[in-house]
Amino acid sequence: MATEFLLNGRSQNFDGDPETPLLWVLRDHLGLTGTKYGCGIAQCGACTVHLDGKPRRSCVTPVSMVAGKKVTTIEGADTRVARAVKDAWVTIDVPQCGFCQTGQVMTAIGLLSARPKPTDADIDAAMAGNICRCATYGRIRQAIKDASKAMGGRA
């Protein structure tokens, strides 16, 4: 039985093992490679997507769990908040290698969608577990603050 879900605004069907991690459905079956494989145990954040508008680690999410739900990947993140976050990331040149950045961006979008004027503690709590091997954490924090400011603190 196929798993049906909405992906980046379009209906999708996956006719495979319902226990297949969403990450592999996105990358291997649908060709959306923006979502990265990092650890496979939901500890690094590189595979973060949005499930019904909330950040979710796709490496440990069986595709069956997204049946009838809305999945957004970095390729489909195009809300006002997403544009502000992406613009801030580019403006201050956040990434070095860039591998973790799609997960960082998706988590930041989730944070600012829920808390348009986050405190440092809010940022720390939301971004905890998103690992950046290049240690661009200071620029990530600044980009989140800049995106919030650009939106006038309103999602």
Side-chain angles (χ1 to χ4, degrees), residues 1-128:
M1 183 154 139
T3 302
E4 296 179 34
F5 59 100
L6 199 61
L7 176 64
N8 297 333
R10 293 188 154 156
S11 182
Q12 290 291 332
N13 290 304
F14 175 70
D15 192 20
D17 183 348
E19 292 305 308
T20 303
L22 177 60
L23 172 66
W24 300 121
V25 172
L26 296 172
R27 291 183 60 82
D28 295 347
H29 297 278
L30 300 173
L32 297 177
T33 58
T35 305
K36 305 297 185 201
Y37 173 77
C39 67
I41 57 173
Q43 296 297 304
C44 74
C47 68
T48 303
V49 298
H50 288 181
L51 181 58
D52 286 341
K54 293 187 173 35
R56 176 83 187 180
R57 305 293 167 89
S58 64
C59 70
V60 295
T61 303
V63 71
S64 60
M65 183 182 278
V66 305
K69 297 185 179 178
K70 230 172 84 173
V71 175
T72 306
T73 66
I74 191 75
E75 292 91 345
D78 193 31
T79 62
R80 179 174 182 257
V81 174
R83 287 187 297 277
V85 169
K86 289 177 181 182
D87 289 348
W89 242 252
V90 170
T91 298
I92 66 170
D93 199 21
V94 170
Q96 284 183 24
C97 80
F99 187 83
C100 71
Q101 294 304 306
T102 56
Q104 302 278 1
V105 166
M106 293 302 285
T107 302
I109 292 167
L111 166 63
L112 291 176
S113 294
R115 295 189 83 85
K117 290 181 80 170
T119 64
D120 284 345
D122 294 333
I123 294 170
D124 290 345
M127 301 306 289

